[in-house]
Amino acid sequence: MSYTLITANRNYSSWSLRPWLLMKALHIPFEDRIEPFVSATNYAAFRSFSPTGQVPALIDGERIVWDSLGITLYLADRHPGVWPADEAARAFAQCAATEMHSGFTTLRNDCTMNVGVRVEPHMHSPSLNKDIARLRELWEQGLDYFGGPFLAGKVFTAIDAFYAPVAFRVRTYGLDVGPIAQAWVDHMLAHPAMLQWEKEALAETWREESHEAEIGAAGRIIEDYRAS
């Protein structure tokens, strides 16, 4: 079994982080291939390896598997540990992962992922506050019911991979998710695979104009740890 996982810039690509982190944390071997965002629209170039013109994409022999959720489901059929073994934890993890995949629209738009900077955000909209409150509620529910330190119990599973980009967002924008949820954020940011992703993100020297503009629209950059 030989996988190639195609992802984009470490600094910006939250969707790429999910399967990359999942495979790293579960020790599923893969060839790591980066196709950076070179412009605001990369559809034509990315169509050469992904039917949607988007990342991530997983190549397994002659088969292409696309979308972070699609890749997760594909891997779950082939590798243990993607979802929790306990039935209740598994149901919670699957519901929470799909909620992240389809929801939290304002959080995505107002707090785009940028690993290497710290931002003093503008005043939060009511819609953003609603998303943050739901995050806190969901994370606290999982941590309380299944005992932590991960969202569905003692071990890392796909639910943690799906919310990992939000851990970076919480730090970047100083979002207040409360002490219980913040403990999960801190635990995730200290995970070896997250540290590797962050190290590679900070080493990137390319910048993509539209992603940088999104950060500027969100607030004032107060720290920038990226290589120049």
Side-chain angles (χ1 to χ4, degrees), residues 16-168:
S16 294
L17 172 58
R18 295 172 177 177
W20 185 95
L21 178 63
L22 181 67
M23 296 176 80
K24 284 286 185 179
L26 297 183
H27 306 290
I28 301 173
F30 65 96
E31 179 185 341
D32 195 356
R33 174 178 156 191
I34 298 178
E35 295 285 345
F37 297 129
V38 295
S39 64
T41 303
N42 300 274
Y43 178 79
F46 284 10
R47 280 274 292 173
S48 65
F49 56 79
S50 172
T52 62
Q54 296 177 317
V55 288
L58 182 73
I59 300 174
D60 182 12
E62 298 299 315
R63 182 176 296 155
I64 297 176
V65 184
W66 64 94
D67 190 280
S68 60
L69 181 57
I71 294 169
T72 298
L73 297 174
Y74 185 79
L75 294 173
D77 286 339
R78 290 157 179 78
H79 301 275
V82 172
W83 298 112
D86 175 76
E87 184 178 2
R90 185 166 64 252
F92 173 79
Q94 290 173 344
C95 289
T98 53
E99 181 179 354
M100 182 70 248
H101 194 66
S102 62
F104 298 101
T105 303
T106 304
L107 177 70
R108 298 179 195 279
N109 292 337
D110 291 5
C111 301
T112 58
M113 191 168 93
N114 192 311
V115 175
V117 302
R118 306 292 180 268
V119 176
E120 184 180 85
H122 301 314
M123 183 177 296
H124 293 176
S125 68
S127 182
L128 178 58
N129 284 332
K130 180 180 177 182
D131 276 358
I132 295 170
R134 174 56 185 153
L135 277 175
R136 177 174 179 171
E137 177 184 54
L138 183 67
W139 292 354
E140 288 181 353
Q141 179 185 357
L143 293 166
D144 177 63
Y145 194 86
F146 302 109
F150 295 101
L151 290 176
K154 294 181 180 179
V155 297
F156 177 102
T157 59
I159 182 176
D160 301 290
F162 268 72
Y163 284 90
V166 184
F168 280 130

